[in-house]
Amino acid sequence: EIGVFTDGACKGNQNVATTSCPSGWGVAIVEGCTGVPPVGGDLVRELYGPVCLDSKSPSFIGAEVGSNNTGELSAMCEAFRWLAEYEETRRAAVICYDSKYAANQAQGIHRAHKNILLSARSKELLREVRKTREVRFLHVKGHSGHRWNDAADAAANRGAAGLQTPDKGVGPTM
C-alpha cells in the first residue's frame, strides 16, 4: 500500500469570499509506511502548487476562491490525479489527510455549498482511481509533528507561495 499524505495552506485565510488569499496544495507520496497513523517509509514523490482560480487554465479543477479548504480539497484532487495518471503499479493507496472537510467532500459524505465544481471534481477523480485500485482514507492530526503530514504541509506552503512541482511524473524527487 502506498501512503499519500495531503494538505492545504492559505496565507491569511480571512474574508476569502471577498479577498484573494494565496493558497496552495501539497502531497507527499510515501512507500513503506506502516501502522496507524502510518510512520516510517521513504518519500518517493512530492507534489505542490498554487490553487488555480482561472477557469481557462489547464490547471483549473474547480476552486472558486483561495482558501485553506480549497487548498485541502485541491490536494486530494491532485493526489487522485497522480494515482490515476502516473502511479502504474495499481497497488492499494491510503489517503492520509488532516482536513475532515476535504475527505468528506471527496467521499461524498457531505454536500458542497461552496466550491461545488471542485467538490464534484474530487468525487469524479476518486471514482476514476477506484476503478483500478483500492483506496482508503485515514485521518492524521495536523500540526502534531507527524513526519509525512508535516512534509505535505511544507509542500502546500510552497504552493501557497506560488511555486509548483516542475514534473508530476513518477521519478524520485530527492
Side-chain angles (χ1 to χ4, degrees), residues 35-90:
V36 178
V39 295
D42 297 305
L43 181 67
V44 296
R45 196 79 190 130
E46 187 176 61
L47 309 170
Y48 52 89
V51 170
C52 179
L53 304 177
D54 179 2
S55 63
K56 293 178 176 70
S57 169
S59 298
F60 182 73
I61 52 177
E64 296 170 8
V65 299
S67 70
N68 193 68
N69 281 343
T70 56
E72 298 278 1
L73 194 51
S74 293
M76 287 213 176
C77 288
E78 295 295 344
F80 300 152
R81 285 171 71 169
W82 185 85
L83 286 166
E85 297 172 14
Y86 295 100
E87 206 291 312
E88 297 175 346
T89 70
R90 304 297 179 224

Side-chain angles (χ1 to χ4, degrees), residues 3 5 29-34 38-44 147-148:
F5 293 79
I29 299 161
V30 181
E31 290 185 353
C33 57
T34 59
V39 295
D42 297 305
L43 181 67
V44 296
R147 177 182 180 189
W148 301 125

